[in-house]
Amino acid sequence: MRLLIIGRLDGELTTASRIAMSRGASVVQADDLDQGLAVLRAKGADLIMVDVALSVSDLVGALEAERIRTPVVACGAGADTRGAVDAIRAGAKEYIPLPPDADMIAAILEAVAADQAAFVWRDPAMEKVVKLAEQVARSDASVLITGESGTGKEVLARHLHQRSARRSKPFVSVNCAAIPDALLESELFGHEKGAFTGAVARRIGKFEEANGGTLLLDEISEMDVRLQAKLLRALQERVIDRVGGAKPVPVDIRVLATSNRNMADAVRAGTFREDLFYRLNVVHLRLPALRERPGDIIELAQHFARKYGQANGLPERGLSHDAKRVVLKNPWRGNVRELENAVHRAVLLATGAEIGPDALMTPEGDALGAEPDAATRAARTAEAVTRALVGRTVAEVEQDLILDTLDHCLGNRTHAAKILGISIRTLRNKLNEYTASGVAVPEPGQARPVAMAG
């Protein structure tokens, strides 16, 4: 925990500094606001403690102007009620009366550490998403968070929970893609003893575990359609049925869901229920890919460098100028997750006073940003295509291929059949099957519809 104290260190403020250091905080001091802002720009901080003798409103305004998200707590004489009120109104999160109480300072340090450790952003593109998230955080509305793999969807979900009225209650996450369909129902709703082979005792599911708090359904687009019907009932009725249970169990939860797929496409393909989609999609937060928010790259890289330096007992080292250029140039197809892994490796490999570009490597040991040869590119492309198909049925892949080809041909059946290498009769039979199951099929001369019926 890095604590920045803004104000002259004399008397009781010195005592507050000593208490913080005894609780494990690294303390830096600045005499005035200008010095404090200079420290933040150069080194950053996890928490700011400012004397109310200085202008808290000017400090908060300067932080907002520079998009510095460090929380502020104010401190001053215990009898200064007016100063305390003004500081909170100006944007301070807490007010610490002086002389300082050791337990209060410890509680604030712990709360900030838990709340701020993983959520870092600076880019204006991310700012819009976070503002909307914080605007709806205190409601109980369901929120759908979408974005590419590795963009930080679960991190944003946790941020929503921490800003909600349910923050003192459990936050429970379940990865719908990682649990086999046969087990996911029991994982979500629980089961009674003897409900199936191996059910040796009653077990509550994630819905009951999250009661009073927040349930995150991670990668919900991978959930089997048959289970989606039971989930819809749980969301509508606020009751769940344990597997093998005799009576419904009431639950009080807020549901968040994430997906790395286009949910509208999943609805059109018939792999996701439209009514469940609208039930979850009360608020939609789309996380931009890391390449779409370049202002976050250096901020995140520095955060991960500090995190893994501390975790491995290594001295704190920043990124050199050349390393920053490499990091900014890399496309980060794996988004924040890829960046985190790359910086973690660099922290372990770096030998100088700073993390240089030579420490930034791929998992295979290549220099980060180095252009692979044609054979390597082809192999990686094939691997990526294969990975994208894993977990999908042959019928699902075939349907997407046929409809995408037909879309490319603007609905021309004859042309699409030639490209696909099948007879026009086979193509028409397939399209009739899709239409009968409710899937939108483009008419001749038309592109595939993109809007869903409301």
Side-chain angles (χ1 to χ4, degrees), residues 250-374:
V251 289
D252 170 27
I253 59 170
R254 197 243 189 114
V255 173
L256 309 177
T258 73
S259 177
N260 61 9
R261 296 174 59 187
N262 185 314
M263 296 294 287
D265 284 348
V267 171
R268 278 193 291 267
T271 60
F272 201 83
R273 292 179 62 109
E274 186 174 21
D275 46 7
L276 178 57
F277 171 69
Y278 287 121
R279 172 64 63 175
L280 293 169
N281 196 31
V282 177
V283 179
H284 181 197
L285 300 176
R286 179 193 169 273
L287 270 178
L290 189 56
R291 61 184 172 276
E292 298 172 15
R293 42 179 166 129
D296 285 349
I297 294 175
I298 297 300
E299 192 83 5
L300 283 163
Q302 291 174 330
H303 165 73
F304 293 135
R306 289 192 299 269
K307 173 182 174 180
Y308 289 109
Q310 293 171 2
N312 290 281
L314 298 170
E316 183 173 320
R317 288 177 288 197
L319 275 70
S320 70
H321 178 72
D322 288 341
K324 289 179 180 178
R325 285 198 306 173
V326 171
V327 167
L328 286 171
K329 185 179 178 182
N330 197 68
W332 301 117
R333 296 180 181 87
N335 293 293
V336 179
R337 186 180 295 119
E338 182 187 1
L339 173 64
E340 180 175 6
N341 291 340
V343 175
H344 190 176
R345 282 192 298 274
V347 167
L348 299 175
L349 296 173
T351 55
E354 293 182 305
I355 296 174
D358 55 327
L360 292 164
M361 297 183 178
T362 68
E364 294 77 21
D366 301 326
L368 194 68
E371 191 67 27
D373 57 33

Side-chain angles (χ1 to χ4, degrees), residues 137-141 160-171 210-215 238 251-255:
R138 294 192 65 83
S139 75
D140 275 342
L160 268 167
H161 173 72
Q162 288 296 330
R163 294 296 186 275
S164 75
R166 297 174 178 265
R167 59 184 172 273
S168 61
K169 300 294 184 179
F171 176 91
N211 197 38
T214 303
L215 176 64
R238 298 291 170 179
V251 289
D252 170 27
I253 59 170
R254 197 243 189 114
V255 173

Side-chain angles (χ1 to χ4, degrees), residues 45-46 48 63-64 66-72 93 116 119-122 127 130-131 134 163 299:
D46 299 311
I48 300 169
L63 296 177
E64 289 179 349
E66 295 193 34
R67 295 194 299 278
I68 298 173
R69 297 298 167 190
T70 309
V72 175
K93 303 296 184 185
Q116 298 293 321
F119 199 61
V120 178
W121 82 95
R122 191 178 185 87
E127 177 82 7
V130 176
K131 277 190 173 181
E134 294 184 344
R163 294 296 186 275
E299 192 83 5

Side-chain angles (χ1 to χ4, degrees), residues 6-230:
I6 304 179
R8 294 193 178 277
L9 277 182
D10 49 23
E12 291 160 350
L13 201 55
T14 301
T15 303
S17 174
R18 288 173 180 164
I19 293 171
M21 286 190 287
S22 72
R23 302 287 177 156
S26 171
V27 179
V28 177
Q29 184 266 337
D31 287 341
D32 55 35
L33 299 185
D34 288 340
Q35 286 186 14
L37 288 169
V39 170
L40 288 167
R41 295 185 193 107
K43 299 181 178 179
D46 299 311
L47 178 66
I48 300 169
M49 184 183 296
V50 59
D51 190 336
V52 291
L54 303 173
S55 174
V56 178
S57 61
D58 285 352
L59 173 62
V60 172
L63 296 177
E64 289 179 349
E66 295 193 34
R67 295 194 299 278
I68 298 173
R69 297 298 167 190
T70 309
V72 175
V73 297
C75 55
D80 189 1
T81 306
R82 177 73 185 195
V85 172
D86 289 346
I88 296 298
R89 285 178 176 172
K93 303 296 184 185
E94 298 284 351
Y95 179 83
I96 301 175
L98 300 176
D101 178 81
D103 289 339
M104 184 176 186
I105 289 179
I108 289 173
L109 292 175
E110 290 171 3
V112 170
D115 194 35
Q116 298 293 321
F119 199 61
V120 178
W121 82 95
R122 191 178 185 87
D123 194 274
M126 193 66 176
E127 177 82 7
K128 295 178 182 178
V129 179
V130 176
K131 277 190 173 181
L132 178 56
E134 294 184 344
Q135 186 176 345
V136 303
R138 294 192 65 83
S139 75
D140 275 342
S142 298
V143 178
L144 179 63
I145 306 171
T146 61
E148 295 179 8
S149 293
T151 48
K153 297 185 288 295
E154 182 169 348
V155 175
L156 180 58
R158 289 182 181 276
H159 185 70
L160 268 167
H161 173 72
Q162 288 296 330
R163 294 296 186 275
S164 75
R166 297 174 178 265
R167 59 184 172 273
S168 61
K169 300 294 184 179
F171 176 91
V172 177
S173 174
V174 55
N175 189 329
C176 300
I179 302 172
D181 293 336
L183 300 179
L184 185 55
E185 181 177 2
S186 173
E187 187 75 15
L188 289 173
F189 304 115
H191 60 254
E192 297 290 347
K193 180 179 179 180
F196 50 84
T197 302
V200 296
R202 171 190 284 181
R203 178 188 170 188
I204 66 168
K206 298 299 185 183
F207 269 83
E208 290 181 82
E209 187 180 334
N211 197 38
T214 303
L215 176 64
L216 172 63
L217 300 173
D218 198 18
E219 299 303 345
I220 193 172
S221 51
E222 304 305 314
M223 183 182 291
D224 184 79
V225 175
R226 291 167 294 182
L227 186 53
Q228 291 173 25
K230 190 167 184 178

